[in-house]
């Protein structure tokens, strides 16, 4: 337990990222203007898609890189990522005058790669496996003296991501249930640490695609369980194709998280559609999973009056988003909208 990130560490991270990361709003998601008064639970969406890089990852990346000493910054940083963390590292490195090298799967959506290159980062492509990404980043760090900025298995990163949970409780001290996407586990680790410290009675639930449910299996097995890249690669939620939660994130999940719920591919797409139409929020597939759990798996969630779902990112491929926003169709091809 002593290795877990503490509330003071998260508060210090909040000081470091102030003025760089946006303090994102909690956006009401309901057609009912007063759902709690009517007896129905209220859902608020933590819109991390409004960050300068379109995802929560800026919090951890800037917190970590800004804490490096001048010599480390001079040598540059390297990371491995499926997209959003890479973009966050590129943004933070540019803001701090540091060179950034990004190891990315060749399957990363072009919209994410283009954003990284536009920020001045160097991109190295690898096969879409966690091992290939991590090994290549490690070799580059050793060969060039870069500082490795991991995407999730790092206390500095977790503390930065924890500022999401800090803001949730500060803005809604009455929050009952917090729903958080799970990939490598950095976000849910930080959020759960902050929420558990500030509002112990609240429940924290992880959400992931059923086609990449390694976190669910890990919690059930009592140890980190790895899925094959071919399995996790099936989900449309590219940011959640991580094959295994990190060791440090797993320790946080065991200590603070109350459960993990999975959602289907169709539920992810429908949640993206409803977030756009009803809350006016753009969500990439990974960013929509927490809201999908509230919309389609309420019976599996803890009871509560005030729910918060973390919309972790909005960097969606335009063609996919256009397809999602189109009218839903049945097997006979007729418009179901």
């Amino acid at each position: 337990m002593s290795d877990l990130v503490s509330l003071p560490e998260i508060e210090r991270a909040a000081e470091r990222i102030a003025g760089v990361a946006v303090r994102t709003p909690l956006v009401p998601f309901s057609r009912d203007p007063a759902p709690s008064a009517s007896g129905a639970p209220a859902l608020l969406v933590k819109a991390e898609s409004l960050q300068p890089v379109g995802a929560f990852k800026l919090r951890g990346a800037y917190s970590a890189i800004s804490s490096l000493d001048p010599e480390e910054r001079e040598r540059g940083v390297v990371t491995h990522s499926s997209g959003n963390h890479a973009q966050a590292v590129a943004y933070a490195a540019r803001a701090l005058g540091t060179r950034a090298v990004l190891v990315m799967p060749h399957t990363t959506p072009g919209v994410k790669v283009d954003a990284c290159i536009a920020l001045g980062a160097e991109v190295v492509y690898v096969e879409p496996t966690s091992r290939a990404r991590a090994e290549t980043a490690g070799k580059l760090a050793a060969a060039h003296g870069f500082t490795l900025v991991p995407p999730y298995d790092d206390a500095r990163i977790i503390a930065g991501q924890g500022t999401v949970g800090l803001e949730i409780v500060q803005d809604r001290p009455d929050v009952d249930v917090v729903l958080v996407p799970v990939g490598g586990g950095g976000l849910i680790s930080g959020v759960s640490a902050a929420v558990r410290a500030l509002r112990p009675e609240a429940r924290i639930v992880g959400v992931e695609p059923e086609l990449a449910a390694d976190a669910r299996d890990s919690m059930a097995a009592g140890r980190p369980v790895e899925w094959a890249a071919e399995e996790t690669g099936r989900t449309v939620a590219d940011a959640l194709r991580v094959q295994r939660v990190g060791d440090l994130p797993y320790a946080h999940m065991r200590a603070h998280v109350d459960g993990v719920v999975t959602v289907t591919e169709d539920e992810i797409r429908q949640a993206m559609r409803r977030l756009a139409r009803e809350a006016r929020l753009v969500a990439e597939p990974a960013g929509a999973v927490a809201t999908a759990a509230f919309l389609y798996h309420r019976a599996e969630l803890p009871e509560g009056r005030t729910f918060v779902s973390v919309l972790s990112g909005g960097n969606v491929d335009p063609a996919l988003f256009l397809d999602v926003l189109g009218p839903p169709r049945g097997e006979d091809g007729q418009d179901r909208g």
Side-chain angles (χ1 to χ4, degrees):
M1 294 291 288
S2 60
D3 292 334
L4 301 186
V5 170
S6 67
L7 181 61
E9 290 175 282
I10 295 171
E11 291 171 334
R12 287 194 293 272
E15 294 174 0
R16 285 195 294 272
I17 69 173
V20 178
V22 173
R23 185 186 180 97
T24 54
L26 293 174
V27 179
F29 184 96
S30 176
R31 289 195 176 99
D32 185 341
S36 293
S38 66
L43 175 65
L44 302 168
V45 180
K46 180 67 167 167
E48 286 295 292
S49 54
L50 301 179
Q51 292 294 348
V53 299
F56 75 96
K57 291 284 192 176
L58 178 59
R59 297 172 181 268
Y62 192 88
S63 177
I65 297 174
S66 65
S67 68
L68 299 179
D69 62 42
E71 183 180 349
E72 289 175 311
R73 286 195 212 173
E74 179 66 25
R75 293 198 302 266
V77 298
V78 64
T79 192
H80 56 92
S81 165
S82 62
N84 285 335
H85 177 67
Q87 188 175 341
V89 167
Y91 185 98
R94 181 168 181 169
L96 294 164
T98 304
R99 179 185 179 187
V101 178
L102 315 174
V103 178
M104 306 178 73
H106 64 75
T107 54
T108 301
V111 65
K112 296 185 178 182
V113 176
D114 292 345
C116 292
I117 294 173
L119 288 167
E122 302 163 53
V123 175
V124 176
Y125 292 105
V126 295
E127 290 301 308
T129 68
S130 297
R131 176 173 294 180
R133 286 162 43 180
E135 287 182 352
T136 301
K139 289 177 181 177
L140 289 169
H144 301 283
F146 300 141
T147 297
L148 181 64
V149 182
Y152 47 82
D153 207 350
D154 182 275
R156 299 165 302 173
I157 296 293
I158 290 172
Q161 319 306 25
T163 60
V164 173
L166 189 70
E167 293 173 11
I168 288 172
V169 180
Q170 288 173 343
D171 291 349
R172 284 306 298 255
D174 63 336
V175 63
D176 295 313
V177 182
V178 181
L179 306 171
V180 189
V182 185
L187 177 60
I188 196 168
S189 297
V191 169
S192 63
V195 172
R196 190 65 72 215
L198 294 169
R199 183 164 166 77
E201 61 269 42
R203 295 290 171 259
I204 303 104
V205 177
V207 187
E208 61 185 348
E210 66 176 17
L211 296 184
D214 58 289
R216 177 202 63 193
D217 290 355
S218 297
M219 293 289 278
R223 58 177 175 79
V225 172
E226 182 170 333
W227 279 39
E230 309 84 69
E231 294 179 302
T232 60
R234 296 172 299 165
T235 179
V236 69
D238 58 281
L240 302 182
R241 290 174 183 161
V242 180
Q243 296 165 240
R244 174 187 180 277
V245 296
D247 292 331
L248 188 56
Y250 176 73
H252 283 77
M253 291 177 67
R254 292 289 292 178
H256 301 313
V257 174
D258 296 288
V260 177
V261 171
T262 63
V263 294
T264 69
E265 298 297 290
D266 184 62
E267 289 165 351
I268 292 170
R269 295 170 70 96
Q270 291 303 317
M272 291 172 64
R273 177 186 173 90
R274 291 189 60 181
L275 280 162
R277 291 193 166 193
E278 298 174 38
R280 278 69 62 189
L281 292 172
V282 175
E284 62 186 273
V289 297
T291 299
F294 178 87
L295 294 175
Y296 307 114
H297 294 267
R298 189 88 54 82
E300 300 173 42
L301 302 178
E303 294 184 359
R305 298 291 296 273
T306 302
F307 286 69
V308 171
S309 66
V310 179
L311 195 171
S312 54
N315 295 318
V316 58
D317 179 81
L320 172 62
F321 195 54
L322 183 62
D323 181 61
V324 167
L325 290 183
R329 297 181 178 276
E331 294 181 359
D332 59 1
Q334 296 300 307
D335 188 344
R336 302 304 188 201

